[in-house]
Amino acid sequence: MGDSDGIVVVSVPDGSVCRCGEQMGVGERAGFDPARDEVICLHCLADRRAGRPQVLQRRPLRPAPAPAPYPADFPAHNPPNHPDAWAPPALAPRRSGTPRTLTTLLIAALVVALVGAAVVFRAVGLVPGNATRALDDPTAYVFMNTNSRGAPVTWDPCLTIELVVNSAAAPEGSDTLLAEAVERVNSASGLHLHIAGPTTQVPRPAKSARDLANGLPGSARAPVLVAWTTPEVVPGLEGSVVGLGGPVHRFANSLDQERYVGGSVDLDGPQLAQILRRPNGHAQARAVVMHELAHLVGLTHVDNPTQVMVASNGTATEFGKGDLAGLAKLGSGGCPYDLTPDSP
């Protein structure tokens, strides 16, 4: 319910305090003023819109609730002693940590409601006990999200997916690796990923409601942030995890379909520099980037080591038949009316 005053209604992602002093709990509905970068409780929002005087102290402060913890496996890999851990061989890097889905909920054209935390990272990984299929199987693909009809959630294929690149920890040749990986994803999916240029935006593993409201790279309705970074900046890259990637998921409402509308990709620059020094290292490193971009457009892990989308222990340096089939479906989602806060 956006109004002419520019206020939108959100679900509070943390223990925010209204300017009247009222402490709001996680998930409580409130107004958000992007111009002043402040959260307004519903009482003050009603007063403001009714033209009533500002209340100085509405109710005593209560302790802010502790933020909800991330899952134990957020967002990385199984620990070495975990019974389901699958340790990679010395020359086959684990390409990705658990892929993540950045989740937002659009209620109406100008109303963004954030459920729980502003961004939810969904753990999606291998199912223990699955038999590994050794053949290059055209059915070896899994979608990160599907809708109520079982169809994959996709990007709007009629809109360009802009990528901005932070090269703070990029290895030599990173521009070529990214360009080649983008070309392969575009060719397989029919989507249009476009490298728009550089950025100094630093990846933020825990994105906030203000990121979404202000349109920072890596959040909804903003360019995708591709960051060549380190585990010191993105802790999910610690250990053998070489990359993390995933889309921002906007759920459906009566006016619009479920869509991916943003996302981010984090790549461990120092680890990829080591991979590049190996025999066939360029192809292996490029496959890592292809893997993360495929997460970005909507594929998740499979248990077939002939596919680039295998979580670990894979040897493929080009998309397999399953990867190609899944990517093709993700590029065939149709071109809906694109409903965004900036739409006329």
Side-chain angles (χ1 to χ4, degrees):
M1 294 175 291
D3 209 336
S4 59
D5 57 7
I7 304 298
V8 294
V9 177
V10 302
S11 291
V12 178
D14 52 22
S16 298
V17 179
C18 177
R19 56 188 172 182
C20 75
E22 179 174 338
Q23 177 74 59
M24 290 171 281
V26 174
E28 185 174 336
R29 297 190 74 196
F32 177 70
D33 185 347
R36 298 186 179 184
D37 198 25
E38 66 180 4
V39 178
I40 307 169
C41 70
L42 291 180
H43 301 95
C44 286
L45 183 60
D47 288 345
R48 172 174 175 162
R49 290 180 171 172
R52 292 189 289 266
Q54 171 72 61
V55 175
L56 297 179
Q57 184 71 40
R58 192 170 298 280
R59 69 187 184 201
L61 294 178
R62 60 180 184 270
Y70 288 115
D73 59 354
F74 164 77
H77 51 287
N78 290 328
N81 296 323
H82 191 282
D84 297 327
W86 187 8
L91 292 180
R94 179 170 187 164
R95 296 203 180 100
S96 167
T98 305
R100 50 194 191 177
T101 302
L102 315 181
T103 306
T104 62
L105 174 64
L106 184 67
I107 292 181
L110 296 177
V111 183
V112 178
L114 306 176
V115 181
V119 178
V120 177
F121 291 79
R122 178 178 301 164
V124 183
L126 294 176
V127 178
N130 277 5
T132 297
R133 293 170 291 180
L135 298 177
D136 188 2
D137 184 349
T139 68
Y141 60 87
V142 179
F143 299 122
M144 190 170 286
N145 292 285
T146 56
N147 61 26
S148 59
R149 301 183 304 277
V153 177
T154 68
W155 291 75
D156 181 344
C158 295
L159 297 178
T160 298
I161 304 171
E162 299 284 356
L163 310 179
V164 290
V165 184
N166 183 323
S167 300
E172 185 176 354
S174 62
D175 289 347
T176 301
L177 286 176
L178 181 59
E180 291 177 354
V182 164
E183 187 279 327
R184 283 162 168 76
V185 171
N186 286 345
S187 177
S189 66
L191 296 170
H192 184 210
L193 280 67
H194 171 67
I195 302 170
T199 182
T200 58
Q201 176 68 35
V202 177
R204 298 177 61 189
K207 294 179 176 62
S208 69
R210 291 173 184 172
D211 289 341
L212 299 177
N214 295 334
L216 293 180
S219 61
R221 301 177 193 89
V224 171
L225 176 61
V226 177
W228 298 91
T229 184
T230 67
E232 288 72 30
V233 178
V234 180
L237 294 173
E238 292 176 353
S240 59
V241 176
V242 187
L244 294 166
V248 175
H249 182 187
R250 184 180 68 201
F251 288 94
N253 60 44
S254 60
L255 300 176
D256 198 19
Q257 301 178 33
E258 286 187 64
R259 287 287 164 190
Y260 294 135
V261 293
S264 61
V265 172
D266 299 325
L267 299 163
D268 188 329
Q271 280 204 73
L272 284 162
Q274 294 178 11
I275 294 171
L276 284 166
R277 291 193 287 269
R278 299 173 178 172
N280 201 32
H282 180 88
Q284 291 182 9
R286 182 180 61 215
V288 172
V289 184
M290 291 163 58
H291 180 108
E292 300 309 327
L293 291 178
H295 279 322
L296 174 70
V297 300
L299 286 183
T300 190
H301 291 151
V302 297
D303 61 353
N304 186 319
T306 67
Q307 308 303 307
V308 165
M309 291 312 296
V310 71
S312 61
N313 218 30
T315 58
T317 56
E318 297 290 351
F319 286 131
K321 293 178 181 178
D323 299 321
L324 294 171
L327 288 167
K329 289 181 181 294
L330 288 167
S332 59
C335 299
Y337 169 64
D338 184 57
L339 182 64
T340 72
D342 296 326
S343 295

